[in-house]
Amino acid sequence: MQIGIDQLAFYTPQTYLDLTDLAHARDEDPDKYRIGIGQSEQAVIPVTQDAVTLAANAASQIIDQDNRQQIAMVLFGTESGIDNSKSAAVYLKRLLNLPDNLRTVELKQACYGATAGLQFAHDYVLLHPDKQVLVIGSDIARYGLNTPGEVTQGGGAVAMTITADPRLLILDDASAFHSEDIMDFWRPLYRREALVDGRYSENVYIDFFKAVWQDYQGQTGRSIADFTAFAFHLPFTKMGLKGLRAILPEATAAQQETLMQNFEASRSYNRRVGNLYTGSLYLSLRSLFDNATLHTGQRIGLFSYGSGAEGEFLSGTISPEFDSKSSQQWFEHFFASRKQLSVAEYEAVFNRQLPAHDVLLDTSDDDARFVLKGIQHDQRQYLDRSKKAVTDQ
Ligand code: COA
């Protein structure tokens, strides 16, 4: 049976920072950010969006009356959760008006969470081919103003439905994974910003990639010649380039050219949005789908990495029903209608954090369908503008 990604949607707010402006403000050469880091723009997330609303704004694009009753599980990958007890998935379930006969779970292993969800979803659909699983990767990447990681911030959500006979990517059964308890990036419960040992993290990322790539080849007998493209977890897009370069010498000159071209396609959206943590690999996959020329049956390799650390190499082939036109149009419109912020405006948004007490937020600057309206009795209050009513939580 063929199982994989049937739909893949993305959401991030329309406010962004041009990283040339940030470079000037931080007294850096803009080429360090544009070329050295591989980022041009960065999504700026207002206080009226959290991991749940970002996810709802992404998932509402692919959940409708046709598939709502078929959804059996919501697997929510995040490392910017809003509640230490309840899963973000169960909040999302109500915003999307999903049926009650549903499993709702949050998955955490840094940026790897959505991949765990994807694989659990694959195995569930194998046993229940008439069902669908909604997999989410939703995060806000915060390192802090004036830190080396600042240029690699961002945020947003991807939402995927995993089904039998998928219309985008048919997942292969084989995958290779590797985990070790290390401290390359972490966020203690009392902190809003992540702590990172950036250079160490880059080295571990490459080591894990090489280890799982070798393991995968041993399991399957496949080599780089079997792949049309690779999509990488992209905390910043230069990281994926470093990953690809680690194995590129295994390919012929002609294949190297194709792989490099497709890598450029796969980082086009991420370069303009920044880091989404759990969703980054899947935004890159979406970028590849929309910006490369792909044909049925071609094999794509995916490298997922979550600091701390877990790495997995998985693969899939392009579905016979593959079509990316409507997504291309969505992104064209999205990028054309974004609002650029000055560095001072970005800093003000960054510093405006949700207090640890009841509050009513001004949502007038946030045009999303789902927004966070405030906190009442220590419970987050969400607004679904399509209903014109507050959903009390
Ligand atoms: N033109 C072009 N490239 C330039 C440049 C210029 N003027 N100036 C510097 N560069 C290059 C450097 O050579 C370097 O390239 P390399 O990585 O290929 O060696 C790159 O830009 C970054 O420069 P560096 O001085 O190392 O930057 P930094 O000390 O500010 O830190 C990170 C960069 C990525 C380590 C830092 O942003 C970080 O820690 N980010 C978070 C990473 C993360 O999230 N990791 C965990 C998830 S995997």
Side-chain angles (χ1 to χ4, degrees):
M1 189 188 313
Q2 299 190 323
I3 295 160
I5 304 172
D6 188 55
Q7 300 182 88
L8 201 180
F10 167 73
Y11 177 80
T12 198
Q14 295 196 315
T15 40
Y16 78 98
L17 176 67
D18 189 311
L19 295 180
T20 299
D21 292 348
L22 185 68
H24 290 141
R26 302 293 181 250
D27 206 17
E28 294 278 8
D29 182 346
D31 280 352
K32 172 176 171 181
Y33 291 176
R34 285 195 302 245
I35 300 166
I37 300 282
Q39 293 299 134
S40 314
E41 294 161 1
Q42 183 174 104
V44 178
I45 316 297
V47 69
T48 46
Q49 291 290 318
D50 65 14
V52 171
T53 57
L54 292 171
N57 286 311
S60 56
Q61 299 170 44
I62 57 172
I63 302 293
D64 56 24
Q65 61 213 32
D66 290 341
N67 65 350
R68 180 170 279 108
Q69 296 303 323
Q70 284 171 273
I71 305 289
M73 294 204 282
V74 180
L75 299 177
F76 197 124
T78 186
E79 54 185 299
S80 10
I82 58 148
D83 193 307
N84 284 328
S85 177
K86 284 179 65 167
S87 75
V90 76
Y91 288 93
L92 179 64
K93 179 246 175 211
R94 195 165 58 84
L95 292 181
L96 296 178
N97 196 23
L98 290 169
D100 290 347
N101 57 336
L102 189 78
R103 284 185 178 138
T104 49
V105 183
E106 187 171 308
L107 300 163
K108 180 168 68 182
Q109 176 35 59
C111 304
Y112 174 75
T115 300
L118 176 65
Q119 295 291 36
F120 298 157
H122 171 276
D123 295 353
Y124 182 83
V125 175
L126 193 60
L127 286 176
H128 306 91
D130 56 329
K131 296 294 185 187
Q132 301 193 7
V133 179
L134 175 62
V135 175
I136 302 290
S138 180
D139 275 303
I140 301 170
R142 290 172 65 87
Y143 291 84
L145 302 178
N146 283 295
T147 63
E150 183 178 25
V151 66
T152 67
Q153 295 179 144
V158 294
M160 302 182 270
T161 47
I162 311 307
T163 70
D165 302 320
R167 286 170 287 177
L168 291 173
L169 192 74
I170 300 162
L171 289 172
D172 292 322
D173 288 340
S175 76
F177 34 86
H178 182 97
S179 63
E180 283 178 43
D181 180 9
I182 59 156
M183 298 303 280
D184 62 329
F185 169 107
W186 67 106
R187 186 163 69 85
L189 288 177
Y190 50 83
R191 284 187 64 97
R192 282 179 166 155
E193 281 79 44
L195 295 166
V196 61
D197 185 344
R199 278 287 167 195
Y200 177 49
S201 187
E202 289 188 47
N203 292 336
V204 178
Y205 179 113
I206 299 291
D207 288 348
F208 274 40
F209 174 50
K210 285 193 206 158
V212 291
W213 170 236
Q214 201 168 9
D215 181 355
Y216 174 92
Q217 289 179 96
Q219 282 182 45
T220 60
R222 293 182 190 125
S223 72
I224 200 165
D226 294 299
F227 288 85
T228 297
F230 293 88
F232 289 86
H233 167 54
L234 296 177
F236 49 99
T237 75
K238 177 75 166 290
M239 191 66 249
L241 183 60
K242 290 183 184 188
L244 182 59
R245 281 181 180 156
I247 62 165
L248 210 53
E250 297 167 26
T252 64
Q255 285 163 349
Q256 288 190 22
E257 202 175 309
T258 305
L259 292 171
M260 281 303 294
Q261 264 172 13
N262 286 338
F263 176 73
E264 288 306 325
S266 77
R267 69 165 161 173
S268 165
Y269 294 161
N270 302 65
R271 176 183 265 294
R272 301 187 64 184
V273 172
N275 197 356
L276 326 184
Y277 289 160
T278 42
S280 293
L281 167 61
Y282 300 97
L283 177 62
S284 176
L285 185 63
R286 183 75 264 177
S287 188
L288 176 72
F289 286 160
D290 295 359
N291 297 297
T293 306
L294 297 170
H295 302 291
T296 303
Q298 286 180 329
R299 179 163 278 109
I300 312 293
L302 287 82
F303 177 58
S304 178
Y305 177 77
S307 290
E310 170 96 33
E312 178 157 345
F313 186 84
L314 59 157
S315 61
T317 52
I318 298 294
S319 162
E321 291 177 69
F322 179 85
D323 183 6
S324 60
K325 272 186 218 76
S326 64
S327 174
Q328 285 164 5
Q329 284 163 3
W330 189 94
F331 276 93
E332 245 169 63
H333 178 261
F334 165 71
F335 285 122
S337 53
R338 289 209 295 177
K339 181 184 173 215
Q340 186 176 340
L341 300 186
S342 67
V343 173
E345 287 168 325
Y346 142 73
E347 288 180 343
V349 173
F350 187 91
N351 286 327
R352 182 137 189 266
Q353 285 301 296
L354 205 58
H357 54 72
D358 286 6
V359 66
L360 186 62
L361 298 174
D362 176 4
T363 57
S364 57
D365 281 344
D366 187 338
D367 63 355
R369 172 174 165 187
F370 296 96
V371 294
L372 174 63
K373 205 174 169 334
I375 303 176
Q376 203 180 358
H377 307 307
D378 289 310
Q379 299 169 18
R380 290 192 183 215
Q381 306 291 307
Y382 293 113
L383 174 67
D384 175 355
R385 290 203 170 100
S386 76
K387 288 187 184 160
K388 304 264 189 281
V390 177
T391 54
D392 53 333
Q393 181 56 254

